[in-house]
Amino acid sequence: TEYEGLVSGMISDGTANAYCNSAAISDMQIIEEICKVHIATSRAFVRDPDSYSKTTFFSPEAGEKQLVKNHVSQYDYLNALYEAKGWTFRSDRLSFSGFQAEIDGDYANASIVEEYSYDIDNGFDKMCWLSREYSVNLHKSLGNWYITCITTDSPIEKEEIDVEAEMAFLSQTTETTGEFDDLDINNATVPMSSSLYTWKYNADDAVEYAETYYKDANPLFGENDADCQNFVSQCVWAGLGGTKVKSAPSVSIDMVGKESNKIWCHNQFSSCYSDYRYNCAWDNVVGFFHLLEISSPETVGPYGNTYVSNALKYARAGDPLFVNTNGGAATVTNINHAMFITDVQGTYGDRTPSDIFIAAHNQPTDTAYQTLSEYLPGSLAKSYARATMICGYYQTQQP
């Protein structure tokens, strides 16, 4: 009743998937309400598919479009995931912002931002949260507006989710590994340096930073158009005790020079490599991963280990996590999205996507604070890479 109240009594005959075009209500208002009610009933469908529809206000042909299939399959996937895991909702809250629309006769393009928070018994005592921007195409037919296509900026919508295959994968007890089979990597021994001071990495401080800024950018850094690695780098920076943008634990041009392969500072990059990704280690996934690969006790900057298989089994809070969202085994050069692990449960060495809680900040309208299995389909397990942060090495002592 709460969700359907958004319709404000304007559903035609109480059954049709369209609004009555009352002269007292503008097309712009009707389109905004259609966007809101579709999102609301889709979220409600995840909780109760027998009572709510994930295709509210769709035109008859909309469901045949691949982009729409990609979009609605996420709701089927989440419903099946919660049922399989036995997770139930305690409460949820939905709000909207940023509605815009352009109307050209009987056609319209609209966008709206959803903020969705929910409390679910997934084993983590946390209120989950996500933000998505929806792009909606609509057509007016016989006086009523219908949705003809809809997409979001969520990484879960890259393709249609095969729910049956996902649930089969969920029932497996082992993770599919990549080319290399990393063994137990819970080895955070800090090597001594002959010339540099060791800076401790505090995972709790890094997690606290992630939990503070996953929704909104830290004004000290701002945000980029694709902000995922920028956000993760900031979490690592906080874990190493960072307080100023261009001083240690950042590694700026001022410290190492423009030609260095070790530049790691917001909005700064080297000219060392022909591949631009390696030059932008602060805010490029491949660059950051490579930076840790070449890290050593004798070079200035953050120091850690990188892993391209069993990345989830041995996950720990305070670890950066990376994924190849196109599928396939993760490699140094094909990972394209970064997240930060804020909490884990289950057994070390046997963790699954449902045992890992992440914070991800890709852009202002695409952020998340939820379990990994909700954020991305579980079958991507072989597509993850991970870094274990150990410490940093610098020319001055850690404050």
Side-chain angles (χ1 to χ4, degrees):
T1 302
E2 225 177 296
Y3 284 117
E4 292 169 348
L6 288 168
V7 179
S8 303
M10 294 180 289
I11 295 183
S12 178
D13 299 327
T15 56
N17 275 358
Y19 275 108
C20 290
N21 191 1
S22 168
I25 303 163
S26 71
D27 282 340
M28 191 72 76
Q29 290 173 304
I30 292 171
I31 290 170
E32 181 176 3
E33 290 302 310
I34 284 176
C35 293
K36 290 179 178 179
V37 175
H38 163 71
I39 297 168
T41 53
S42 296
R43 290 297 175 194
F45 168 89
V46 173
R47 300 196 319 266
D48 185 359
D50 294 328
S51 301
Y52 297 95
S53 170
K54 61 182 184 298
T55 58
T56 307
F57 304 126
F58 276 18
S59 66
E61 69 275 10
E64 299 304 313
K65 295 182 179 179
Q66 190 58 54
L67 289 176
V68 175
K69 291 179 180 179
N70 295 353
H71 172 70
V72 299
S73 69
Q74 69 172 302
Y75 302 117
D76 290 317
Y77 166 70
L78 290 173
N79 172 259
L81 172 68
Y82 296 149
E83 184 175 340
K85 300 295 292 184
W87 296 350
T88 57
F89 285 83
R90 299 187 183 101
S91 64
D92 65 348
R93 178 180 293 273
L94 190 61
S95 63
F96 302 99
S97 63
F99 172 75
Q100 295 181 336
E102 293 182 356
I103 302 173
D104 183 6
D106 290 338
Y107 295 88
N109 297 319
S111 63
I112 192 168
V113 176
E114 163 203 31
E115 290 191 6
Y116 184 56
S117 59
Y118 58 99
D119 184 14
I120 190 169
D121 59 348
N122 56 15
F124 294 98
D125 187 21
K126 301 176 186 293
M127 181 68 76
C128 301
W129 187 90
L130 61 86
S131 175
R132 298 282 183 266
E133 182 175 38
Y134 290 70
S135 297
V136 188
N137 304 134
L138 303 100
H139 178 224
K140 193 176 188 179
S141 176
L142 300 177
N144 292 313
W145 285 100
Y146 294 86
I147 295 173
T148 59
C149 191
I150 184 166
T151 62
T152 78
D153 55 3
S154 166
I156 204 174
E157 286 189 37
K158 292 182 70 70
E159 60 183 22
E160 184 177 0
I161 300 174
D162 186 334
V163 176
E164 184 175 339
E166 289 294 333
M167 294 306 102
F169 178 85
L170 187 66
S171 66
Q172 298 175 11
T173 57
T174 59
E175 177 187 339
T176 304
T177 62
E179 181 180 357
F180 303 102
D181 186 18
D182 301 317
L183 301 178
D184 186 328
I185 48 75
N186 190 23
N187 181 3
T189 302
V190 179
M192 296 299 295
S193 173
S194 62
S195 59
L196 299 170
Y197 292 100
T198 302
W199 286 40
K200 178 184 177 182
Y201 178 73
N202 189 316
D204 291 339
D205 290 345
V207 168
E208 182 179 358
Y209 185 96
E211 294 178 333
T212 300
Y213 291 110
Y214 70 86
K215 281 188 184 181
D216 303 301
N218 183 347
L220 187 64
F221 295 99
E223 58 194 345
N224 300 327
D225 290 337
D227 203 54
C228 64
Q229 183 58 57
N230 183 33
F231 168 70
V232 170
S233 287
Q234 292 169 32
C235 296
V236 173
W237 171 86
L240 289 170
T243 57
K244 296 180 181 179
V245 175
K246 288 189 178 182
S247 61
S250 296
V251 179
S252 66
I253 293 172
D254 298 338
M255 295 177 64
V256 293
K258 182 73 172 178
E259 299 299 320
S260 172
N261 61 357
K262 296 288 289 183
I263 294 177
W264 183 66
C265 190
H266 179 65
N267 284 341
Q268 294 199 29
F269 55 91
S270 74
S271 56
C272 178
Y273 300 101
S274 59
D275 188 334
Y276 79 93
R277 297 174 300 174
Y278 293 141
N279 290 325
C280 305
W282 183 272
D283 55 14
N284 186 279
V285 176
V286 170
F288 180 81
F289 199 80
H290 175 72
L291 180 77
L292 293 183
E293 277 194 314
I294 65 172
S295 64
S296 79
E298 304 305 323
T299 55
V300 174
Y303 175 79
N305 294 330
T306 56
Y307 306 94
V308 294
S309 69
N310 284 323
L312 303 186
K313 285 186 175 183
Y314 297 99
R316 299 182 301 180
D319 286 352
L321 185 66
F322 313 91
V323 65
N324 169 17
T325 59
N326 297 315
T331 68
V332 177
T333 56
N334 70 13
I335 49 177
N336 57 11
H337 185 49
M339 301 145 281
F340 197 78
I341 300 174
T342 62
D343 202 357
V344 292
Q345 61 183 7
T347 304
Y348 178 79
D350 197 30
R351 290 190 173 119
T352 70
S354 296
D355 295 321
I356 299 167
F357 206 94
I358 58 96
H361 192 286
N362 198 33
Q363 50 191 333
T365 58
D366 181 10
T367 59
Y369 185 62
Q370 56 187 165
T371 65
L372 184 61
S373 59
E374 295 171 278
Y375 184 61
L376 290 170
S379 59
L380 283 175
K382 65 181 179 181
S383 304
Y384 287 97
R386 185 174 51 82
T388 297
M389 300 309 307
I390 297 176
C391 64
Y393 294 103
Y394 297 93
Q395 295 159 330
T396 60
Q397 288 186 330
Q398 188 171 23

